[in-house]
Amino acid sequence: MIRQGGELRISGRVTNTSARRVGPARIGVRIGAAGAIDTRGGLAAVTHRTSLTRSDGPEVPGRTVRLAALPTGAERGFRLTVPVPDLELDGAGAYALTVSVIRSDGTGTGTGTGAGTGTGTGTGGVLGLTRTQLSAYPDATRLEPLRTTVLWPVVDTPRMEALTLRTPDSVLPVFRDDELTAAFGPGGRLRRLVEMGTGQPVTWVLDPDLIVHARAMAAGYRVARTPGGSHPREATEGTGGEAAAEWLAALRKAVRGREVIALPYADPDLVSLARGGGAPLAGLLRSASRAGRSVVDRALGIRTRAGVGWPAGGELDDGIARYAKLLGLGTVLASGAGVTSSGQLVSEGATDDGAVALDGGTTALRYDAAIASLLLAVHPAEGAAGAPARLLLRQRLLAETLTAARELPNARRDLVVVPPRRMPLGTARVLLTVVAEGRKAGWLEPARFAAALRKPTAGRLRGSDGHPPARHASELPSARLAAVDRDRRRLRALTKVLSDARVTAASVRAALARSVATGWRGDPAGAASYQRGVSRYLTASITSVRLVPKSTVVVAGGSATIPVTVDNGLQQDLTGVELRVLSSRPERLDARERAVPVRASRAVSRTVRVRVKAYANGPVRLTAQLYTTADGRPWGAPMTFRADVRSVPSGAVIFVLGGTALIVLTAAFRLRRTRGR
C-alpha cells in the first residue's frame, strides 16, 4: 500500500526465454487508464488480461530504465523508483499496475522476455509484461470498514493408527510416520502457525484429533515400520515427545482468552459423507466429536465453541446441510457463492458475507470465495525464494479487500476470511500482513466469530448444476465409506470378547473417524492405505482368537474329557466367549454341557476341557465352535475333528441297544394296529 508523498520502488528480473538474442529495451510502469477499479469483478478481469492494451494506460514519463541486450537464456535484474505524485492517482482504491518491457527501436516479436515474475504477449515492440495491483488510501479517506473475521486453522493429516502396543504400565499408540516431530518442532509448520497467530486478531480453528496426537506423542508413542501394519510390535520408539509437549504449551498460551472453534473430531469430509451414504457413521462421528471437544478443553484449559462444520471448498446444498444437522452441527462455513440472503445488499458482485439462517435450523456463515481461492491457489514459500510470490499475493489481497470496502463505502458489512486447512507459512505471513495494513489504514476492522454469527438474515441455498469434476474426483468414494461402516460393526463384535474393551474401542473408533477426514482429499492413495490399515488391524484382532486345529481324539470309557485349545493372540485377557461342541452321533457320544466358558490370559493358549458321555463304541465327528456370550453369535471359524470311542462299558452298550430294540418293537406294534383298522 502506498501513501501520497512517498515513492514506489519496483525490482525484478528479466529473463530471455526466446530462441534468439533480444536487442536493447526499456522497462516502464503503467497505471490503468480507468483509474481505481470499482468492482472486484473488474479487478479479476484486469488481472487475467495477458496482452498490453490502451486500458493499461501510458508509461509514466521519465520513469523508465534501460535494459541491455540479452542473449538466449540470460537474465538481468532491474530497479525502478517512481515518486507517488508521478502516478497521478485519483484517490483511494486499487489501481492496475503494469510493468512492461519494450524494444528500444519500437519493433519486436511480441514475445520473449518476462519482467518481474510474469511474462506477457503483445504486438509491436512489447517483449513482456507483468501485472499487479497498487492500493492507495489517502489519510483523509473515510470508508466504512469491513468487519473482518479471520479464521486461523491448525489442522493436519491423520497420523495415528488404530494400532496400540500394550506394556505392563501403559498402552502406547502407534503412528503411521514421525512427520509430526518436525511439524511440532522449531521452524515446523504447526509450530510456526502457533507462534505467528499468537496475539493476532484471529479465530483459532482446531482439529481435536491433532490435540490427541500431540498429547499421545508427549506421553510416549511408537512409529510403524510400514504404515498400515497390523502388528504393534513391528514399530519403533517415536522421537517427537518433547517437540509435541512444547507445541502444546505454546498453543495453550496462544489461545488463552481467544475465540477457539473445535471442529468435529478428525474434521470429517461432510461433502463425501453426505453424497456417499455415510449416514450409518453419523452416530460414531457425533460421539467422537463430543469426546474430542472435551479433550481440547482439558488440554488447553479453555472453553471451545463446538457445532461448527467446514465442508471442503465451502460447498453447501440441502444434503450437506442435512448431514451437518445429523452430526449436531448448527453452523456451517459456506462459500458465499452458494448461499443467497433476502437481506443481501447487492444481488451480484458486492462483498457481503455473514450469517444466513436456512430452513431446518442450520446457520450458514458465508465467507469470501474469491479470497479463499487466492489463498488456496498460491503457495508462496518462506524465505527469500518466496518473496516475489508473497509480494504479489499481498498486493492482490490488499486490492481485493480495499475494492470490497469501496463497493458500498457507507454500508456496514462483513468479510469472513477462510484460509486453506493446511495453511502454508508463506500464506499465513501474507494474510497477517494484509489484515494489519488494512486495519492500520482504516478499511478493515477485526471482528469476532461470534459477531459474524449475530443476527443472521433469512436465506436459502442456490441451485446447483453439479459440482466440478475435479472436486468430485477428490471425494471419498462410497465404497470406502461402506468399508468404514463394516469395520464399525466388526469393532462392535470385537469389544464383546475383550476383558478391557474401553481402550481398544476408543482407539479404533478414533481411527474410523480419521478414515473419513477431509485431510485425505488430494491424497487418495494415503486415504485408501489408512482405511485398509484399520481394516487389517480388526481382521488380525478377530482372527487372533481361534480354535487350534486337531485331527483325532480317543475316548476310552463311558465318561471322559476332551481337550480343546483356544489361542488368544490379543494383547489383553479374553472373556465373553464360550465353547460349544456338537456331535454328529449323539446316541454314541455327546457333550454333557451345552457351553463351556472360556478365559484366556493375553497372548497365550488356553486348553478348555469339555466333558462328554459315551454310549457306544465307534467313530464320531465333533464340531467345536466359539460363541460370544453376550448375544450367542458364532465367533471365528468352527473346528471339526474325529473322536474314536473305545472300551465303553457293556452296561452302557446294552442300554443303547435295548432302547433301540424297544423303539423298533413299538413301531411294529403300531403298524399292525393300523393295518387291522
Side-chain angles (χ1 to χ4, degrees), residues 1-2 35-38 43 89-96 133-138 141 143 398-399 402-403 406 443:
M1 189 181 67
I2 63 170
I37 302 171
D38 292 326
L43 182 64
L89 306 180
D90 297 329
Y95 296 81
Q133 303 78 31
L134 194 62
S135 297
Y137 200 82
T141 307
L143 298 178
L398 286 170
L402 179 54
T403 303
R406 289 185 66 247
W443 76 76

mmCIF file of all heavy atoms in Angstrom, residues 1-2 35-38 43 89-96 133-138 141 143 398-399 402-403 406 443:
data_model
loop_
_atom_site.group_PDB
_atom_site.id
_atom_site.type_symbol
_atom_site.label_atom_id
_atom_site.label_comp_id
_atom_site.label_asym_id
_atom_site.label_seq_id
_atom_site.Cartn_x
_atom_site.Cartn_y
_atom_site.Cartn_z
ATOM 1 N N MET A 1 0.855 -1.195 0.000
ATOM 2 C CA MET A 1 0.000 0.000 0.000
ATOM 3 C C MET A 1 0.890 1.244 0.000
ATOM 4 O O MET A 1 1.938 1.267 0.644
ATOM 5 C CB MET A 1 -0.899 0.009 1.228
ATOM 6 C CG MET A 1 -1.965 1.074 1.199
ATOM 7 S SD MET A 1 -2.965 1.058 2.683
ATOM 8 C CE MET A 1 -1.765 1.557 3.900
ATOM 9 N N ILE A 2 0.451 2.253 -0.748
ATOM 10 C CA ILE A 2 1.244 3.481 -0.825
ATOM 11 C C ILE A 2 0.444 4.650 -0.290
ATOM 12 O O ILE A 2 -0.780 4.604 -0.189
ATOM 13 C CB ILE A 2 1.673 3.770 -2.276
ATOM 14 C CG1 ILE A 2 0.421 4.016 -3.143
ATOM 15 C CG2 ILE A 2 2.494 2.629 -2.839
ATOM 16 C CD1 ILE A 2 0.773 4.540 -4.513
ATOM 17 N N GLY A 35 -8.346 4.468 -13.958
ATOM 18 C CA GLY A 35 -8.191 4.867 -12.563
ATOM 19 C C GLY A 35 -8.463 3.703 -11.630
ATOM 20 O O GLY A 35 -8.238 2.538 -11.967
ATOM 21 N N ALA A 36 -8.946 4.012 -10.434
ATOM 22 C CA ALA A 36 -9.207 2.966 -9.444
ATOM 23 C C ALA A 36 -10.274 2.007 -9.954
ATOM 24 O O ALA A 36 -11.272 2.413 -10.558
ATOM 25 C CB ALA A 36 -9.647 3.585 -8.124
ATOM 26 N N ILE A 37 -10.059 0.733 -9.718
ATOM 27 C CA ILE A 37 -11.007 -0.297 -10.153
ATOM 28 C C ILE A 37 -12.190 -0.300 -9.197
ATOM 29 O O ILE A 37 -12.026 -0.376 -7.978
ATOM 30 C CB ILE A 37 -10.308 -1.667 -10.185
ATOM 31 C CG1 ILE A 37 -9.102 -1.614 -11.129
ATOM 32 C CG2 ILE A 37 -11.271 -2.759 -10.610
ATOM 33 C CD1 ILE A 37 -8.220 -2.833 -11.066
ATOM 34 N N ASP A 38 -13.400 -0.257 -9.759
ATOM 35 C CA ASP A 38 -14.587 -0.057 -8.937
ATOM 36 C C ASP A 38 -15.158 -1.337 -8.340
ATOM 37 O O ASP A 38 -15.812 -1.288 -7.293
ATOM 38 C CB ASP A 38 -15.679 0.642 -9.756
ATOM 39 C CG ASP A 38 -15.297 2.072 -10.104
ATOM 40 O OD1 ASP A 38 -14.625 2.712 -9.276
ATOM 41 O OD2 ASP A 38 -15.659 2.531 -11.203
ATOM 42 N N LEU A 43 -11.561 -6.144 -11.056
ATOM 43 C CA LEU A 43 -10.211 -6.455 -10.606
ATOM 44 C C LEU A 43 -9.751 -7.792 -11.183
ATOM 45 O O LEU A 43 -8.619 -7.927 -11.666
ATOM 46 C CB LEU A 43 -10.192 -6.495 -9.077
ATOM 47 C CG LEU A 43 -8.848 -6.754 -8.401
ATOM 48 C CD1 LEU A 43 -7.870 -5.627 -8.696
ATOM 49 C CD2 LEU A 43 -9.059 -6.901 -6.895
ATOM 50 N N LEU A 89 -2.541 9.326 -9.174
ATOM 51 C CA LEU A 89 -3.665 8.543 -8.659
ATOM 52 C C LEU A 89 -4.803 9.471 -8.266
ATOM 53 O O LEU A 89 -4.586 10.579 -7.776
ATOM 54 C CB LEU A 89 -3.216 7.716 -7.460
ATOM 55 C CG LEU A 89 -1.993 6.800 -7.696
ATOM 56 C CD1 LEU A 89 -1.659 6.046 -6.418
ATOM 57 C CD2 LEU A 89 -2.245 5.842 -8.849
ATOM 58 N N ASP A 90 -6.038 9.008 -8.422
ATOM 59 C CA ASP A 90 -7.219 9.847 -8.206
ATOM 60 C C ASP A 90 -7.756 9.806 -6.785
ATOM 61 O O ASP A 90 -8.680 10.538 -6.448
ATOM 62 C CB ASP A 90 -8.341 9.421 -9.158
ATOM 63 C CG ASP A 90 -7.949 9.631 -10.613
ATOM 64 O OD1 ASP A 90 -7.171 10.565 -10.886
ATOM 65 O OD2 ASP A 90 -8.411 8.849 -11.462
ATOM 66 N N GLY A 91 -7.253 8.928 -5.954
ATOM 67 C CA GLY A 91 -7.782 8.811 -4.597
ATOM 68 C C GLY A 91 -7.680 7.376 -4.133
ATOM 69 O O GLY A 91 -6.902 6.567 -4.653
ATOM 70 N N ALA A 92 -8.501 7.050 -3.129
ATOM 71 C CA ALA A 92 -8.446 5.712 -2.563
ATOM 72 C C ALA A 92 -8.927 4.681 -3.568
ATOM 73 O O ALA A 92 -9.868 4.911 -4.323
ATOM 74 C CB ALA A 92 -9.289 5.649 -1.296
ATOM 75 N N GLY A 93 -8.264 3.528 -3.560
ATOM 76 C CA GLY A 93 -8.696 2.446 -4.436
ATOM 77 C C GLY A 93 -7.529 1.599 -4.879
ATOM 78 O O GLY A 93 -6.363 1.881 -4.598
ATOM 79 N N ALA A 94 -7.857 0.533 -5.586
ATOM 80 C CA ALA A 94 -6.854 -0.373 -6.144
ATOM 81 C C ALA A 94 -6.661 -0.037 -7.617
ATOM 82 O O ALA A 94 -7.632 0.056 -8.377
ATOM 83 C CB ALA A 94 -7.306 -1.816 -5.979
ATOM 84 N N TYR A 95 -5.433 0.130 -8.022
ATOM 85 C CA TYR A 95 -5.093 0.506 -9.393
ATOM 86 C C TYR A 95 -4.319 -0.631 -10.058
ATOM 87 O O TYR A 95 -3.480 -1.290 -9.414
ATOM 88 C CB TYR A 95 -4.244 1.783 -9.408
ATOM 89 C CG TYR A 95 -4.956 2.999 -8.889
ATOM 90 C CD1 TYR A 95 -5.063 3.232 -7.515
ATOM 91 C CD2 TYR A 95 -5.525 3.921 -9.756
ATOM 92 C CE1 TYR A 95 -5.712 4.341 -7.026
ATOM 93 C CE2 TYR A 95 -6.179 5.045 -9.270
ATOM 94 C CZ TYR A 95 -6.273 5.249 -7.907
ATOM 95 O OH TYR A 95 -6.922 6.364 -7.424
ATOM 96 N N ALA A 96 -4.601 -0.835 -11.327
ATOM 97 C CA ALA A 96 -3.848 -1.824 -12.089
ATOM 98 C C ALA A 96 -2.454 -1.279 -12.364
ATOM 99 O O ALA A 96 -2.301 -0.182 -12.908
ATOM 100 C CB ALA A 96 -4.564 -2.139 -13.395
ATOM 101 N N GLN A 133 -1.255 -5.129 -8.504
ATOM 102 C CA GLN A 133 -2.191 -4.081 -8.102
ATOM 103 C C GLN A 133 -1.491 -3.146 -7.121
ATOM 104 O O GLN A 133 -0.636 -3.551 -6.348
ATOM 105 C CB GLN A 133 -3.448 -4.675 -7.451
ATOM 106 C CG GLN A 133 -4.201 -5.660 -8.321
ATOM 107 C CD GLN A 133 -3.532 -7.026 -8.347
ATOM 108 O OE1 GLN A 133 -2.910 -7.438 -7.379
ATOM 109 N NE2 GLN A 133 -3.660 -7.725 -9.464
ATOM 110 N N LEU A 134 -1.902 -1.910 -7.170
ATOM 111 C CA LEU A 134 -1.355 -0.887 -6.292
ATOM 112 C C LEU A 134 -2.515 -0.288 -5.512
ATOM 113 O O LEU A 134 -3.464 0.236 -6.098
ATOM 114 C CB LEU A 134 -0.653 0.186 -7.121
ATOM 115 C CG LEU A 134 0.261 1.156 -6.373
ATOM 116 C CD1 LEU A 134 1.410 0.408 -5.731
ATOM 117 C CD2 LEU A 134 0.775 2.216 -7.338
ATOM 118 N N SER A 135 -2.469 -0.397 -4.190
ATOM 119 C CA SER A 135 -3.557 0.091 -3.345
ATOM 120 C C SER A 135 -3.159 1.409 -2.705
ATOM 121 O O SER A 135 -2.082 1.525 -2.113
ATOM 122 C CB SER A 135 -3.896 -0.934 -2.256
ATOM 123 O OG SER A 135 -4.371 -2.131 -2.835
ATOM 124 N N ALA A 136 -4.042 2.392 -2.827
ATOM 125 C CA ALA A 136 -3.810 3.720 -2.252
ATOM 126 C C ALA A 136 -4.939 4.054 -1.295
ATOM 127 O O ALA A 136 -6.116 3.787 -1.583
ATOM 128 C CB ALA A 136 -3.736 4.765 -3.361
ATOM 129 N N TYR A 137 -4.596 4.657 -0.173
ATOM 130 C CA TYR A 137 -5.595 5.026 0.814
ATOM 131 C C TYR A 137 -5.141 6.314 1.492
ATOM 132 O O TYR A 137 -4.508 6.298 2.560
ATOM 133 C CB TYR A 137 -5.768 3.917 1.850
ATOM 134 C CG TYR A 137 -7.079 3.983 2.604
ATOM 135 C CD1 TYR A 137 -8.242 3.468 2.046
ATOM 136 C CD2 TYR A 137 -7.151 4.557 3.870
ATOM 137 C CE1 TYR A 137 -9.441 3.519 2.728
ATOM 138 C CE2 TYR A 137 -8.340 4.608 4.575
ATOM 139 C CZ TYR A 137 -9.493 4.089 3.992
ATOM 140 O OH TYR A 137 -10.687 4.145 4.675
ATOM 141 N N PRO A 138 -5.434 7.474 0.879
ATOM 142 C CA PRO A 138 -5.028 8.764 1.457
ATOM 143 C C PRO A 138 -5.560 8.939 2.880
ATOM 144 O O PRO A 138 -6.600 8.378 3.249
ATOM 145 C CB PRO A 138 -5.638 9.787 0.496
ATOM 146 C CG PRO A 138 -5.792 9.042 -0.797
ATOM 147 C CD PRO A 138 -6.114 7.637 -0.416
ATOM 148 N N THR A 141 -9.268 9.682 3.680
ATOM 149 C CA THR A 141 -10.306 8.748 3.236
ATOM 150 C C THR A 141 -11.090 8.236 4.438
ATOM 151 O O THR A 141 -10.521 7.893 5.476
ATOM 152 C CB THR A 141 -9.678 7.564 2.485
ATOM 153 O OG1 THR A 141 -8.846 8.066 1.446
ATOM 154 C CG2 THR A 141 -10.752 6.672 1.900
ATOM 155 N N LEU A 143 -13.824 5.426 4.632
ATOM 156 C CA LEU A 143 -14.727 4.356 4.214
ATOM 157 C C LEU A 143 -15.224 3.607 5.445
ATOM 158 O O LEU A 143 -14.521 3.500 6.443
ATOM 159 C CB LEU A 143 -14.009 3.360 3.293
ATOM 160 C CG LEU A 143 -13.459 3.887 1.965
ATOM 161 C CD1 LEU A 143 -12.745 2.755 1.230
ATOM 162 C CD2 LEU A 143 -14.574 4.452 1.102
ATOM 163 N N LEU A 398 -4.639 -6.988 -0.704
ATOM 164 C CA LEU A 398 -4.922 -5.598 -0.358
ATOM 165 C C LEU A 398 -5.912 -4.990 -1.340
ATOM 166 O O LEU A 398 -6.857 -4.286 -0.947
ATOM 167 C CB LEU A 398 -3.624 -4.786 -0.347
ATOM 168 C CG LEU A 398 -2.673 -5.015 0.828
ATOM 169 C CD1 LEU A 398 -1.339 -4.326 0.576
ATOM 170 C CD2 LEU A 398 -3.298 -4.510 2.133
ATOM 171 N N ALA A 399 -5.709 -5.279 -2.621
ATOM 172 C CA ALA A 399 -6.611 -4.748 -3.644
ATOM 173 C C ALA A 399 -8.013 -5.324 -3.492
ATOM 174 O O ALA A 399 -9.019 -4.602 -3.632
ATOM 175 C CB ALA A 399 -6.050 -5.058 -5.035
ATOM 176 N N LEU A 402 -9.657 -3.728 -0.281
ATOM 177 C CA LEU A 402 -9.942 -2.303 -0.456
ATOM 178 C C LEU A 402 -11.057 -2.087 -1.467
ATOM 179 O O LEU A 402 -11.949 -1.244 -1.262
ATOM 180 C CB LEU A 402 -8.677 -1.566 -0.899
ATOM 181 C CG LEU A 402 -8.817 -0.060 -1.161
ATOM 182 C CD1 LEU A 402 -9.429 0.645 0.049
ATOM 183 C CD2 LEU A 402 -7.468 0.549 -1.529
ATOM 184 N N THR A 403 -11.047 -2.841 -2.553
ATOM 185 C CA THR A 403 -12.124 -2.729 -3.539
ATOM 186 C C THR A 403 -13.445 -3.161 -2.931
ATOM 187 O O THR A 403 -14.496 -2.556 -3.207
ATOM 188 C CB THR A 403 -11.802 -3.586 -4.775
ATOM 189 O OG1 THR A 403 -10.545 -3.180 -5.313
ATOM 190 C CG2 THR A 403 -12.873 -3.438 -5.842
ATOM 191 N N ARG A 406 -14.783 -0.314 -1.033
ATOM 192 C CA ARG A 406 -15.245 0.785 -1.891
ATOM 193 C C ARG A 406 -16.536 0.462 -2.634
ATOM 194 O O ARG A 406 -17.198 1.381 -3.125
ATOM 195 C CB ARG A 406 -14.167 1.129 -2.922
ATOM 196 C CG ARG A 406 -12.937 1.808 -2.336
ATOM 197 C CD ARG A 406 -11.958 2.221 -3.427
ATOM 198 N NE ARG A 406 -12.508 3.269 -4.285
ATOM 199 C CZ ARG A 406 -12.817 3.108 -5.569
ATOM 200 N NH1 ARG A 406 -12.638 1.935 -6.148
ATOM 201 N NH2 ARG A 406 -13.301 4.122 -6.272
ATOM 202 N N TRP A 443 -9.644 0.512 6.437
ATOM 203 C CA TRP A 443 -10.749 -0.112 5.690
ATOM 204 C C TRP A 443 -11.072 -1.525 6.195
ATOM 205 O O TRP A 443 -12.041 -2.126 5.750
ATOM 206 C CB TRP A 443 -10.490 -0.107 4.190
ATOM 207 C CG TRP A 443 -9.493 -1.108 3.653
ATOM 208 C CD1 TRP A 443 -9.696 -2.432 3.474
ATOM 209 C CD2 TRP A 443 -8.170 -0.845 3.185
ATOM 210 N NE1 TRP A 443 -8.578 -3.021 2.941
ATOM 211 C CE2 TRP A 443 -7.626 -2.063 2.747
ATOM 212 C CE3 TRP A 443 -7.388 0.317 3.091
ATOM 213 C CZ2 TRP A 443 -6.342 -2.161 2.212
ATOM 214 C CZ3 TRP A 443 -6.119 0.208 2.563
ATOM 215 C CH2 TRP A 443 -5.600 -1.018 2.128
#
